[in-house]
Amino acid sequence: MKHRKSGFWPKFFALVLVLFISSVAMAQTEVKGLVKDDMGEPLPGAKVATKAGDAATVTDFNGNFTIKAQKGSTLVVSYMGFVTKEVTASANVVVTLSEDAKALEDVVVIGYGTAKKNDLTGSVTVMKPDEENRGVITSAQDMMVGKVAGVSVTTSGGPGAGATIRIRGGSSLNASNDPLIVIDGLAMDNNGVKGLSNLLSMVNPQDIESFTVLKDASATAIYGSRGSNGVIIITTKKGDQGHSPRVSYTGNVNFATRKNPIEVMSGDQFRDYLQQTYGADKYNQWRAQGWVGDANTDWQSEIYRTGVSSDHAITLSGGLKHMPYRVTVGYTGNRGILKTTDFRRTTASVNLNPSLADDHLKINLNGKFLFAESRYANQEAISAAIAMNPTIPVKSSNPIHQQYFQGYWQWDVAGNYGDGSAWPYSFNNNGTKNPVSLLDLKRDEAQSMAFVGNAEFDYAVHHFEDLHLHLNMGGDYSTGQQDSYTSPYSPESFYYGWQGWEKINKYNLQLNAYAQYTHNWNNRHDLSVMAGYEWQHFHRELTRDGSGYYPETIAGHVAGEAYNRSNSPWATENYLVSFFGRAGYTLFDRYMLTATVRRDGSSRFRDHWSTFPSFAFAWRINEEKFLRDCRNLNMLKLRLGYGLTGQQDINQDYGYVATYSQNQGAGSNYFPCVDANGKIMRDAQGNIIYMPVSRPGEYNAALKWETTTTYNAGIDLGLWNNRLSASIDYYYRVTTDLINRVSVPAGTNFKNMVTSNIGSMVNQGVELQLNAVAIDTKDWTWDLAFNATYNRNEITELIGGDETYMVETGGISAGTGRCVQMHAVGHPMSSFYVYQQVYDAKGMPIEGVYVDRDGNGIINESDRYFYKSPVAPWTFGFSSKLRYKQWDLGFGLRASLGNYVFNDVEAGWSNIKTIYDEKGYLTNRPLYELPKAWQTWDNPISDYFVHNGSFLKCDNITLGYSWPGVTRHKISGRVFASVSNVFCITKYNGIDPEVFGGIDGTLYPRPITYQLGVNLNF
């Protein structure tokens, strides 16, 4: 019998293997879970993997996942843009991921592309809107006030009004000093239309993701002629790929009231003053005439009101597979504190970001729509409320006032409107107009519509992904019409009234295309090269028609016939064509060099083309071996930059060629047409046919680019895991071939003022930006931000080295045709040019007595001198945000030191002798005018009226409470209350020391505003 092997060992090992596999299977468990964000929204497509790497999966559309893992093992959960999190495997896991703020801040939008923040070589500031500490926000510029070093934003108090933005001071005298605004890659046209002077009204503040401010030439030169005054790039929010639909609502209601009225004599004070100054006989005579009544009318209270406003926005965002989307609809209703001023705005925005061709083709489609309605007030009412007689009422029972002034009290005189007129009374043009009637008897409204849209395509070439091809095309279209009606009973247009309209249409078309190649070799050499082309076309046209009208039939005229008709349409356009390129090279991740060049061609100059290069170098010092062990040092970078930018925004499209304007209609400048027999020709209605006359305009064939050269040196610092970060920059900017309107000898041109290149100017300064996380614990965080700017401006040349040549500017209402500012060599632009006031022993100014500065015994123009500048050399911003658990408290401060203001209100009402004027009226005065006791209108150009306008303002204080969504079905959100324009500490005696340009007339006052609001996420 043959012996057989039993096979024991193979069976034994097989049994052991089965038991091992069974034990492993029994040790593993099926882990189910949900991945969501801070708001409780599910995150589809999040990666879930075991830390050992033996299993992985992704979440479904609802954020759910299932994975097999050993109980107690570690799972790693990650999602793009969120902080990766490790959790312990259990039967059911709920994972909440937080947005990675650092990752979001690492990428910065720059001109034509993006860059890592650490790789920047120019002076670039990135600002993300503070959702918790911002106060009242109507338009995008409100978010930037006091937040960025070197950026000055001067807002207005009127509803829907724009703002004046300056980056590192002004670089031009007469051309535009506005920065270039780029919204989602589209360079905007700074010119507005009727009802839409503020182009940033296009963007709903709730949609803004970030502001990037390009300040030095190494950063702005890529924009060439448009970047001379800096660039502000606004990037709006986008949807999330694969994300379920998310709805959010933001709403608030505001209550605004006026601050700091100008103190004038009350009715009782005015009556006492008249009796004491002019005697009982005169006073009784005025009472008998009805000039002095028994009222105590506070005219400033009569023209102002509490402004109730609200703002609402609803957003739907998410992602359909490869189609992230975001749609926002917003409404703003702003009731101004000056009666009859209102602003209503409806906005809608759509953003689609499909990704095609295996993510090689990324598309960004943007569309923004706006419809706005505005009502404007006659702001002459503000000054009239200061001067109007406080003893008389708003409305009068006097039959003359009832019949000819619709019941409003007015200074009336005998009228003469032609033979047979039934209007025997008229308004006394020398007297103060009833301020309430100026508001009530005028209706000035505007409607505007705008669309801004663009399509961007970015293609990473297949099999050569280092090369990207980029195309961006779009445009902005705006139209606005303003309709005006002034009653014939209004003192503004008495008897004839006014009715008319004015409409502006404009568009800005743009196309740019570029190719960009990037590559890294061995983590030592990093190269980026980009070259492109851009075309832009600006078009603008205006039509208008309006006239007064005869309210009755009189000799030679019939009721309803037009009076003094105005009809003068025009249209204009200009083009900008450019070639540009940029190269960046980084060695060993610490030595960085960037070079850009742009070749611009503008239709505004005879010599169309100019070239604008720039160079920048950066050294990341903290990456050197001798600092790598310094754990508390996260960033130490040195930046050096140089570059040229240009200026062609001169509000004159063809100033270098002879142009002719054709007159049409009857008048002294027209000639009647005659036939071959010398007989005057007439149309079918019998009207004379006139020959249109073409009149020449001034021109300057030598007009050329204004050029600004900028040198910049900066240091970026980060300490203690970037809990303290700082940037400091020094800049030196020289603008040559300044564009300005200058006088020319008679007969050398068709006008006595011509736009010319006349000199040079220097701006130099220092900027400091600090950000700190003072406290960072489980329950408490405290964020602080501070910025400071010093800027010194000086004109270094005007015409041909003639240091005595000056350009007059800064017109005032006091006197006739007077100016109190000058552009002159050796001084800041628009410096005050005034007489030096002489004071008596009590410190009161002596009227008409000035210092004889040239010592020739005569007071004349030679004794005027340069005294201070309207632009503050020092500006500061400070913000604080303290959080405790779900509560937050924030505030913002802003300061300006060394800005001076000419108080035109004070200068215009200094003559108290005319409180009674022999032309037949009485006027009130501010209380500060009475002690001077001046008796003429002749002396307003005095340094006495130039006041120090330095101030410290509290822009806002905000308290809020936030709550997260615990489950995907629970609403998360925040409620808050804030106060804006809280207080202003200043020695200035006017309403507000923050006056752009330095001439304080009767400005629309900035109100104090109380706000209640809520943010909800569904």
Side-chain angles (χ1 to χ4, degrees), residues 310-529:
S310 64
D311 193 276
H312 310 272
I314 298 177
T315 299
L316 172 66
S317 65
L320 299 173
K321 293 185 178 180
H322 299 290
M323 174 72 80
Y325 61 86
R326 181 181 173 90
V327 180
T328 300
V329 177
Y331 172 79
T332 299
N334 193 336
R335 187 172 182 252
I337 62 169
L338 180 62
K339 291 179 179 179
T340 72
T341 57
D342 291 285
F343 175 70
R344 296 177 298 278
R345 176 187 64 191
T346 301
T347 60
S349 64
V350 178
N351 185 285
L352 304 176
N353 310 108
S355 180
L356 308 175
D358 196 25
D359 283 343
H360 279 63
L361 177 61
K362 297 184 183 299
I363 303 174
N364 187 11
L365 304 175
N366 294 288
K368 299 174 181 64
F369 310 86
L370 175 144
F371 175 74
E373 296 177 292
S374 303
R375 183 173 179 184
Y376 306 105
N378 183 347
Q379 294 195 28
E380 185 184 351
I382 298 176
S383 59
I386 298 171
M388 190 62 179
N389 181 350
T391 70
I392 51 92
V394 175
K395 290 288 187 82
S396 169
S397 59
N398 185 321
I400 296 175
H401 295 160
Q402 286 289 321
Q403 184 173 354
Y404 301 105
F405 300 98
Q406 284 203 340
Y408 291 94
W409 201 102
Q410 301 286 7
W411 296 104
D412 59 89
V413 294
N416 181 14
Y417 293 102
D419 294 340
S421 173
W423 290 55
Y425 291 96
S426 180
F427 171 76
N428 184 344
N429 287 321
N430 297 300
T432 305
K433 303 175 178 68
N434 184 318
V436 179
S437 73
L438 290 174
L439 300 178
D440 291 348
L441 299 181
K442 182 172 186 176
R443 193 161 189 89
D444 200 356
E445 297 177 319
Q447 288 189 344
S448 54
M449 292 180 289
F451 166 75
V452 174
N454 66 306
E456 285 187 279
F457 304 87
D458 187 90
Y459 173 57
V461 178
H462 278 80
H463 310 299
F464 193 49
E465 283 78 7
D466 288 346
L467 178 63
H468 282 244
L469 304 179
H470 193 94
L471 174 67
N472 183 12
M473 50 188 176
D476 72 88
Y477 302 80
S478 303
T479 181
Q481 178 169 317
Q482 185 167 336
D483 297 289
S484 300
Y485 169 78
T486 305
S487 167
Y489 300 99
S490 169
E492 181 184 356
S493 299
F494 192 73
Y495 186 73
Y496 298 105
W498 177 264
Q499 187 168 355
W501 58 271
E502 186 169 290
K503 185 176 184 179
I504 293 178
N505 297 316
K506 71 153 193 170
Y507 62 78
N508 156 33
L509 303 178
Q510 179 180 328
L511 179 145
N512 67 66
Y514 61 85
Q516 184 168 14
Y517 173 77
T518 58
H519 192 76
N520 181 280
W521 290 271
N522 303 319
N523 291 323
R524 294 185 176 183
H525 308 276
D526 198 300
L527 177 67
S528 175
V529 180

Side-chain angles (χ1 to χ4, degrees), residues 871-940:
V871 181
W874 285 100
T875 56
F876 304 90
F878 176 77
S879 62
S880 167
K881 182 165 61 178
L882 181 67
R883 298 189 192 93
Y884 172 68
K885 293 186 177 180
Q886 293 167 252
W887 291 91
D888 60 84
L889 175 65
F891 66 85
L893 299 173
R894 186 162 47 92
S896 175
L897 298 181
N899 59 299
Y900 280 74
V901 181
F902 183 88
N903 192 333
D904 195 22
V905 176
E906 182 181 11
W909 295 111
S910 285
N911 180 7
I912 66 169
K913 182 179 180 180
T914 55
I915 286 179
Y916 160 62
D917 195 294
E918 294 181 354
K919 295 177 181 178
Y921 60 93
L922 301 169
T923 52
N924 203 350
R925 289 292 185 276
L927 295 179
Y928 54 61
E929 301 284 17
L930 303 180
K932 296 199 304 287
W934 286 14
Q935 302 293 308
T936 72
W937 298 106
D938 301 333
N939 303 287

